[in-house]
Amino acid sequence: METCAQEGGCVTDYIAIAISILSMIVLLSRLLVPFLVHKVPRTKNSGFWIPIIHVFASFNLLLSTVVSVNFLKFKKRHWWQSCYVWAVWVEGPLGFGLLLSCRVTQAFQLYYIFVKRRLPPIRSYIFLPLILLPWIAGAAFIHMKKPLNNRCHMGTHWVFPAMLLHMLYVAALVGFTGAIRHIEFRFDELKDLWWGILFSASSIGVWVAAYILNEIHEEISWLQIASRFLLLIMASILVLALFSLSSSQPLHTQISLRRREPQEFETMGQALGIPDSGLLLQTEAVQVIDPNEPLDKLLLDKRFRQSFMAFADSCLAGESVHFYDEVHELGKLPVDDPVRRIYMARYIIDKYIVAGAAMEVNISHRSRQEILTTADLAHPSLFNNALNEVMQLMKTNLAKDYWSSMYFMKFKEEASMRSNGLELEQMTGLNFSPRLSSVHGADDPFHQEHFSKGSANDSHDSDTQ
């Protein structure tokens, strides 16, 4: 046992490695399933790259634990096998530090967006390296002082300051989460964060205890084996807890993976419960469209808006109409519901406003900055100036061509069919579908069948009498 404790290769070591590999497989599946199965669009914002960094940091933490704590029997012959590479740099700044920094960044974003009601003053790709600096400085200091022995262990006076840095980041995460505890989140981000903190704090507590025992009591063989087993197991639980039980994934991913909400939402409006979002009701009144009326008035009709949107998409210029549609949905939310308005506003900003967005609209720099630097994301007139500019573009570039397009012809034909169907329903009290309402008499392919059934029923009634 003594040789096994010093050089690695114990049965418990292989069990712990197998569990860590399984946890990484689960972690990768949690990352990839939303994009491969649920077809969540890949964006350039933090909702996409923070989960990627999270998985990268998790892999570094688990691999560095295996290499630096002597789980496997191998001789360190090359510089990249050095304790300072794995136990200091990979396990510290690139592992545990990066992992917790991702979660602190996410809590920082939620705090600014929902408490301050504005976009964070520091971009995520700047904030994350900034809060990682203490880990980098600590790793550089340890590398210069070189306190590690040949088994990658530090003395007591080095272990406790290192563990203090770990706990400091957990405290920062708890602090930011506590600051947003009064917000009633739509998708339970706060509850998920608290669960993530609870699981991760418990895992970190056991992990820290195992780390200290492994570092200090080198002479006790069974304690070395047990402590490093706990180190890897707790690290595996930690990476899964922080990813699965916190809102580290994109918002659409969370919506589609909710077990209590089996329905998958096609639009953010549907996810937020906006009335009639994305739906065309058969009971809606059929309105006569006059091309001479202003476009902004015509776009209030949902059927016309969808026809106009299809035409714009065919011209590869649909982002303006989609933007109008999303802002129109935002307008349905009451002003006294700031949380849902912020969700929708942030979604619109990420999709249409930020530079390089998936459907970036062509608006002036002034209007764009006015939105990005707003002091209130829930303000009712947040997108008014941008919407006016987009409306002018649609009038200039799309409206004239639409009136002579096949899309408008098809829209008029369908409107006429629906109008005839409604008239028949009012006259007969029967529920005709739009397709059958325009077919009468001998032109109806089902007319003979209906007539035969009717005749049969009549004859049956007469026989009964």
Side-chain angles (χ1 to χ4, degrees):
M1 178 182 287
E2 186 174 351
T3 303
C4 169
Q6 293 180 359
E7 298 181 1
C10 300
V11 175
T12 54
D13 294 338
Y14 291 112
I15 294 175
I17 291 173
I19 293 174
S20 66
I21 292 174
L22 181 62
S23 70
M24 279 305 304
I25 293 174
V26 174
L27 196 61
L28 285 172
S29 67
R30 293 282 296 176
L31 175 69
L32 297 177
V33 163
F35 300 102
L36 299 179
V37 177
H38 299 285
K39 306 300 180 183
V40 175
R42 284 177 288 182
T43 60
K44 297 181 180 180
N45 58 22
S46 60
F48 174 73
W49 59 262
I50 280 185
I52 300 293
I53 295 177
H54 183 111
V55 174
F56 173 74
S58 301
F59 178 77
N60 288 341
L61 178 60
L62 297 180
L63 182 61
S64 62
T65 303
V66 171
V67 175
S68 63
V69 192
N70 299 324
F71 274 84
L72 300 175
K73 293 181 179 180
F74 64 90
K75 294 183 179 180
K76 299 176 181 178
R77 299 176 179 177
H78 306 284
W79 66 268
W80 54 267
Q81 295 175 314
S82 167
C83 290
Y84 292 96
V85 172
W86 293 100
V88 177
W89 289 101
V90 179
E91 186 177 338
L94 298 179
F96 198 96
L98 189 57
L99 195 64
L100 281 184
S101 296
C102 288
R103 302 282 61 78
V104 173
T105 300
Q106 179 226 358
F108 172 77
Q109 287 181 326
L110 291 177
Y111 170 76
Y112 257 91
I113 289 172
F114 289 98
V115 177
K116 296 292 187 180
R117 294 190 182 183
R118 56 178 300 177
L119 296 177
I122 305 176
R123 295 291 183 89
S124 300
Y125 59 82
I126 298 176
F127 182 78
L128 183 59
L130 283 178
I131 61 174
L132 197 59
L133 285 178
W135 287 91
I136 298 174
F141 184 75
I142 292 175
H143 202 139
M144 287 189 298
K145 295 297 182 179
K146 297 190 181 301
L148 301 182
N149 59 21
N150 59 345
R151 296 180 63 184
C152 298
H153 289 172
M154 295 187 290
T156 306
H157 59 286
W158 286 94
V159 171
F160 288 101
M163 292 301 99
L164 182 62
L165 183 61
H166 288 68
M167 301 310 297
L168 179 63
Y169 276 66
V170 176
L173 181 58
V174 172
F176 276 119
T177 306
I180 59 176
R181 65 185 183 277
H182 62 284
I183 302 296
E184 296 181 2
F185 289 98
R186 176 73 179 179
F187 303 109
D188 296 332
E189 286 94 335
L190 181 63
K191 186 176 74 173
D192 289 343
L193 270 176
W194 280 125
W195 275 110
I197 289 173
L198 177 63
F199 274 83
S200 58
S202 303
S203 303
I204 290 171
V206 178
W207 186 86
V208 168
Y211 185 88
I212 294 175
L213 292 174
N214 186 267
E215 289 285 329
I216 296 176
H217 298 286
E218 294 185 2
E219 71 284 356
I220 306 177
S221 299
W222 69 267
L223 189 57
Q224 286 289 301
I225 296 173
S227 60
R228 71 180 178 221
F229 176 80
L230 278 178
L231 270 177
L232 193 54
I233 295 298
M234 289 300 105
S236 302
I237 295 175
L238 173 65
V239 298
L240 283 177
L242 281 178
F243 191 88
S244 302
L245 294 175
S246 69
S247 49
S248 59
Q249 302 165 70
L251 185 58
H252 282 294
T253 308
Q254 289 190 309
I255 298 168
S256 61
L257 291 181
R258 295 287 182 195
R259 291 183 180 179
R260 59 182 176 274
E261 296 180 11
Q263 178 184 4
E264 293 188 16
F265 302 103
E266 295 182 359
T267 66
M268 178 61 78
Q270 292 178 3
L272 293 175
I274 297 177
D276 303 335
S277 178
L279 300 176
L280 281 175
L281 303 179
Q282 296 296 330
T283 57
E284 289 183 358
V286 178
Q287 298 183 4
V288 178
I289 299 300
D290 183 4
N292 295 321
E293 291 187 358
L295 181 62
D296 51 352
K297 181 179 179 181
L298 295 175
L299 286 173
L300 295 176
D301 181 79
K302 185 178 294 186
R303 295 185 185 276
F304 174 80
R305 188 164 67 247
Q306 291 201 353
S307 174
F308 192 74
M309 186 184 298
F311 168 73
D313 287 336
S314 69
C315 299
L316 303 180
E319 62 276 357
S320 297
V321 192
H322 285 276
F323 173 69
Y324 176 91
D325 187 60
E326 301 279 11
V327 175
H328 181 74
E329 296 295 301
L330 172 63
K332 296 179 182 179
L333 292 172
V335 180
D336 58 354
D337 189 358
V339 173
R340 285 201 296 170
R341 291 188 66 87
I342 289 174
Y343 271 117
M344 193 67 184
R346 186 189 179 194
Y347 172 76
I348 293 173
I349 290 172
D350 288 341
K351 188 175 181 180
Y352 300 100
I353 303 300
V354 296
M359 300 184 71
E360 182 182 354
V361 291
N362 186 12
I363 58 176
S364 65
H365 177 74
R366 180 180 178 181
S367 296
R368 195 182 306 276
Q369 290 302 116
E370 182 181 85
I371 296 171
L372 295 178
T373 59
T374 181
D376 187 5
L377 285 170
H379 198 280
S381 60
L382 175 62
F383 297 103
N384 282 4
N385 291 336
L387 196 60
N388 291 334
E389 294 181 10
V390 167
M391 185 63 66
Q392 290 299 322
L393 287 175
M394 288 192 292
K395 290 178 181 178
T396 304
N397 300 331
L398 293 173
K400 294 180 180 179
D401 294 332
Y402 172 75
W403 302 123
S404 59
S405 69
M406 292 299 297
Y407 289 88
F408 180 57
M409 302 300 175
K410 182 179 179 182
F411 172 77
K412 286 199 302 182
E413 180 182 352
E414 292 177 351
S416 176
M417 293 172 62
R418 284 193 299 272
S419 178
N420 293 336
L422 289 176
E423 290 176 1
L424 284 174
E425 287 181 21
Q426 293 173 358
M427 292 173 59
T428 63
L430 299 177
N431 185 18
F432 287 92
S433 67
R435 181 181 297 276
L436 295 180
S437 64
S438 61
V439 182
H440 307 283
D443 294 332
D444 185 353
F446 303 102
H447 175 71
Q448 189 67 33
E449 182 181 351
H450 297 329
F451 180 78
S452 300
K453 289 182 179 179
S455 301
N457 291 336
D458 292 343
S459 61
H460 177 74
D461 292 341
S462 61
D463 292 341
T464 304
Q465 293 175 356

